[in-house]
Amino acid sequence: DTEVTQTPKHLVMGMTNKKSLKCEQHMGHRAMYWYKQKAKKPPELMFVYSYEKLSINESVPSRFSPECPNSSLLNLHLHALQPEDSALYLCASGIGTSGRGGYTQYFGPGTRLTVL
Amino acid sequence: AQTVTQSQPEMSVQEAETVTLSCTYDTSESDYYLFWYKQPPSRQMILVIRQEAYKQQNATENRFSVNFQKAAKSFSLKISDSQLGDAAMYFCAFGASGTYKYIFGTGTRLKVLA
């Protein structure tokens, strides 16, 4: 089972709103990722959590705030976003070790975010 | 720094035919992984196939196989007996062992013609 779930599927928000994206996996993976993807482009890494600690922040603006409450759950809190933040937000999880499977990432279906 | 190049922005293939998508990469790492992901219009990134650099044998998953040429730093994906459901954007990705970050290529859009 390589399922990563994301909610909601679609989100429309105003620039003054606060919203959250949720990602969940039950594969025992210890690495979890947030990506931003614009149309016809590859995903761009935003954050990586390893063993529930923030491991990588790719200089993402503070209006995006990640949270990893436990090993199965990853949130992305959104506040005061700009229209250019409209994109597909993908979550991924991975084993996160140098063992068999290496750092293979398994992606969720994404949340389509529109900022008005 | 690592780079991944997909030189074919778009490819077309007739249903039931075979198509090869190209990917080249550049790295000074000796231990790494290479991946092909498929992203259909439904938008979920699906892992198609994975290749460990230390393995000489080319990876195969049903109708999908790779031609991994380590010295040439080439990692092409062959899709046999193409099906309408294979239509998608295909991304090649590089991951150095011991790091979490992937380097993605720019993608190849595959169209399957009935």
Side-chain angles (χ1 to χ4, degrees), chain A residues 33-97:
Chain A
Y33 307 72
W34 279 117
Y35 285 88
K36 173 183 178 180
Q37 187 180 26
K38 291 283 199 178
K40 300 183 181 180
K41 298 289 187 182
E44 299 172 29
L45 183 65
M46 300 175 72
F47 304 103
V48 180
Y49 273 83
S50 173
Y51 292 83
E52 298 152 55
K53 293 191 187 316
L54 185 63
S55 178
I56 296 176
N57 177 344
E58 291 285 284
S59 302
V60 178
S62 60
R63 58 186 184 268
F64 296 90
S65 176
E67 179 195 20
C68 189
N70 58 59
S71 60
S72 300
L73 190 57
L74 185 67
N75 297 319
L76 185 63
H77 303 297
L78 314 172
H79 173 55
L81 294 192
Q82 305 296 310
E84 59 264 29
D85 296 322
S86 298
L88 180 67
Y89 287 83
L90 293 165
C91 174
S93 73
I95 297 170
T97 71

Side-chain angles (χ1 to χ4, degrees), chain B residues 27-100:
Chain B
T27 184
S28 57
E29 301 283 342
S30 58
D31 189 12
Y32 53 88
Y33 298 81
L34 294 161
F35 308 88
W36 278 100
Y37 283 88
K38 165 186 176 181
Q39 189 174 35
S42 64
R43 78 199 183 197
Q44 182 160 6
M45 294 272 288
I46 301 165
L47 177 65
V48 175
I49 203 163
R50 176 184 66 218
Q51 175 78 45
E52 291 90 340
Y54 63 87
K55 288 187 176 179
Q56 292 186 337
Q57 187 174 7
N58 289 326
T60 299
E61 288 287 343
N62 301 314
R63 297 183 295 107
F64 298 87
S65 61
V66 298
N67 183 4
F68 175 47
Q69 301 289 327
K70 190 171 183 179
K73 295 180 181 171
S74 171
F75 181 61
S76 60
L77 175 70
K78 186 172 83 171
I79 306 173
S80 304
D81 185 26
S82 297
Q83 300 175 0
L84 294 176
D86 295 333
M89 181 73 92
Y90 286 80
F91 290 101
C92 177
F94 170 99
S97 185
T99 69
Y100 291 108

